[in-house]
Amino acid sequence: MHEIVTLQLGHRANYVATHFWNAQESYFDYGASEKPLTVEHDVHFRAGQGPRGEDTYTPRTLIYDLKGGFGGLRKWGGLYDQGNIEPDSQNLWDGNVVKQQDTPISQSAYQKALDEGLDRPPKLSSQSVRYWSDFSRVFYHPRSVCQINDYELGSTIVPFEKWDSGEELFNKLDKDDDLLDRDIRPWAEECDQLQAIQIFASADDAWGGFASRYVESLRDEYAKTPLWFWGPEEQEGQGQRAKQLIRTVNIAQSLQAISRLASMYIPIAIPSYLPPYVALDRSSQWQSSGLMSMAVESITLPSRQKEGSGRRGLLGDLEVALNSNGNQKIAELQCSVIDPSTQRSNTRTEVPQAANDDRIAGGKTQQLIYEDEIEQARRRFDMSFSTGGSSQTALSLRQWEKSNHVFGKVELIRG
């Protein structure tokens, strides 16, 4: 088994990752389907046992967020619910006890319907989704939930927005509790053969500084393990000018610090230009993150295909194809949604530049993929999720594609 451990750092990253986990849950076959499954669920999920001996199946992920960022998600979840476990205060203090407690965040109607086992939960909308946990369809292991109480989500008094703040926070937490030993190592040691560690973290706020120190620790500990970094960013031009400048500086620092250590660094942001078939509420973090997650989930699909299916490609294999010269670690994510009836059924792609590349499996065969014409391999995608492409129109994007030199390229078509 080639497992992948996931790190989710920050509120925006958790939105993207929640869509990712919902997509994985949609591949589960709860019935007696005769159609063979091609997705190997054990790559991203682990089997376990609840407190009463019942079987559980939860994502291999660590979720970091600020105080108030988890919404109505309970620490122990529905599978590991331990009830209201509180210390016996009478044994600790003989005097009067005054209990102060924040008002708990209520579960969304969607989550309540899922917990009650209703076949048709209420339809989600941008108004009904307040937190990323409001639309989550999976149960998480208690070890996955890592709340950071030093900062509060959305605070205007002590905002968590500058890169240095994230770096200082990691150093403080790592000094108090070795984060790799406490959080990462238990997940990694469960894996038979760790394929990669993928990291979702917003690169344009303080989480970029937090992620840079985390990636540095991971690279020291797991020197040969592929580290894939997905950096969801705010759309360009949003907010006050001072805030935009802070985000720009944060992006530059994240790019410099993380790209030199990560195996692949892929920034993702909602483009300013979207094709006519995409109806998106840009003010909705739920919708925007869903579009980004759709592209991320699609390009990484080969990494969780069953062995022997003929479609499997580990993240390390994708890295070799993209980083053809060994020092090209920054990639751009593009995608299109097409009508399958318009595609030719018998296509071939030829990649002559990889014909003598020993690092690519089958590189000596002169033909890795087959296509009618080489020019067909240079497909024009409708959406570019890179920050540089987020301000481009359709025409400028195509002009950029003609003048841009591509060192390595991975394309995936799914139906």
Side-chain angles (χ1 to χ4, degrees), residues 49-287:
Q49 282 193 333
R52 292 173 292 275
E54 66 276 23
D55 293 333
T56 62
Y57 204 50
T58 53
R60 303 179 190 273
T61 188
L62 279 162
I63 308 170
Y64 290 81
D65 212 330
L66 305 181
K67 182 180 179 181
F70 287 89
L73 181 68
R74 292 171 291 175
K75 167 69 176 178
W76 296 97
L79 297 180
Y80 295 86
D81 198 351
Q82 300 293 309
N84 296 322
I85 301 177
E86 299 180 0
D88 187 355
S89 58
Q90 297 302 321
N91 294 333
L92 303 176
W93 177 252
D94 295 333
N96 294 329
V97 176
V98 178
K99 183 177 180 181
Q100 293 184 344
Q101 183 176 353
D102 291 338
T103 302
I105 300 174
S106 61
Q107 276 190 310
S108 65
Y110 183 80
Q111 285 297 319
K112 290 179 181 178
L114 292 180
D115 289 346
E116 294 171 2
L118 300 182
D119 294 333
R120 294 183 178 180
K123 189 176 181 180
L124 292 167
S125 67
S126 299
Q127 291 72 34
S128 64
V129 175
R130 308 159 300 167
Y131 304 91
W132 55 265
S133 59
D134 287 345
F135 62 94
S136 175
R137 294 186 58 88
V138 299
F139 290 105
Y140 296 103
H141 192 278
R143 284 205 317 253
S144 292
V145 180
C146 304
Q147 178 171 290
I148 296 177
N149 296 314
D150 299 67
Y151 291 86
E152 188 169 358
L153 181 68
S155 174
T156 56
I157 301 175
V158 187
F160 193 61
E161 61 183 12
K162 293 188 176 180
W163 200 86
D164 293 341
S165 300
E167 190 177 31
E168 292 171 3
L169 178 61
F170 179 90
N171 292 336
K172 174 182 177 296
L173 297 177
D174 196 49
K175 182 179 179 181
D176 296 340
D177 299 292
D178 190 315
L179 293 184
L180 259 63
D181 282 342
R182 188 193 72 179
D183 297 339
I184 286 288
R185 199 177 304 281
W187 294 97
E189 290 180 350
E190 287 181 349
C191 301
D192 294 332
Q193 189 172 359
L194 183 61
Q195 175 187 160
I197 298 175
Q198 67 172 357
I199 304 157
F200 294 93
S202 48
D204 58 353
D205 57 21
W207 286 107
F210 190 92
S212 69
R213 298 291 292 118
Y214 217 132
V215 170
E216 184 177 345
S217 298
L218 288 171
R219 181 51 73 205
D220 289 341
E221 185 69 22
Y222 302 96
K224 297 184 178 180
T225 301
L227 302 178
W228 277 58
F229 182 87
W230 303 96
E233 300 172 6
E234 188 75 49
Q235 182 182 334
E236 290 182 359
Q238 298 294 312
Q240 300 176 352
R241 180 170 178 79
K243 299 286 187 182
Q244 295 181 39
L245 290 175
I246 292 175
R247 289 203 300 266
T248 301
V249 173
N250 291 339
I251 291 172
Q253 289 181 286
S254 297
L255 185 64
Q256 187 276 334
I258 298 175
S259 63
R260 64 186 178 87
L261 297 172
S263 304
M264 292 304 302
Y265 182 104
I266 306 101
I268 46 178
I270 294 299
S272 294
Y273 167 80
L274 290 172
Y277 58 77
V278 177
L280 181 73
D281 179 2
R282 295 178 181 272
S283 64
S284 170
Q285 199 162 190
W286 170 58
Q287 291 194 23

Side-chain angles (χ1 to χ4, degrees), residues 3 6 18 33 42 103 156 199 225 231 233 258 310 337 357:
E3 298 89 348
T6 302
T18 299
S33 175
D42 288 343
T103 302
T156 56
I199 304 157
T225 301
E233 300 172 6
I258 298 175
V337 180
D357 194 338

Side-chain angles (χ1 to χ4, degrees), residues 37-39 302 304-313:
L37 299 177
T38 61
V39 174
R304 48 189 170 273
Q305 294 288 294
K306 283 186 176 291
E307 193 170 3
S309 64
R311 304 173 181 176
R312 192 174 196 182

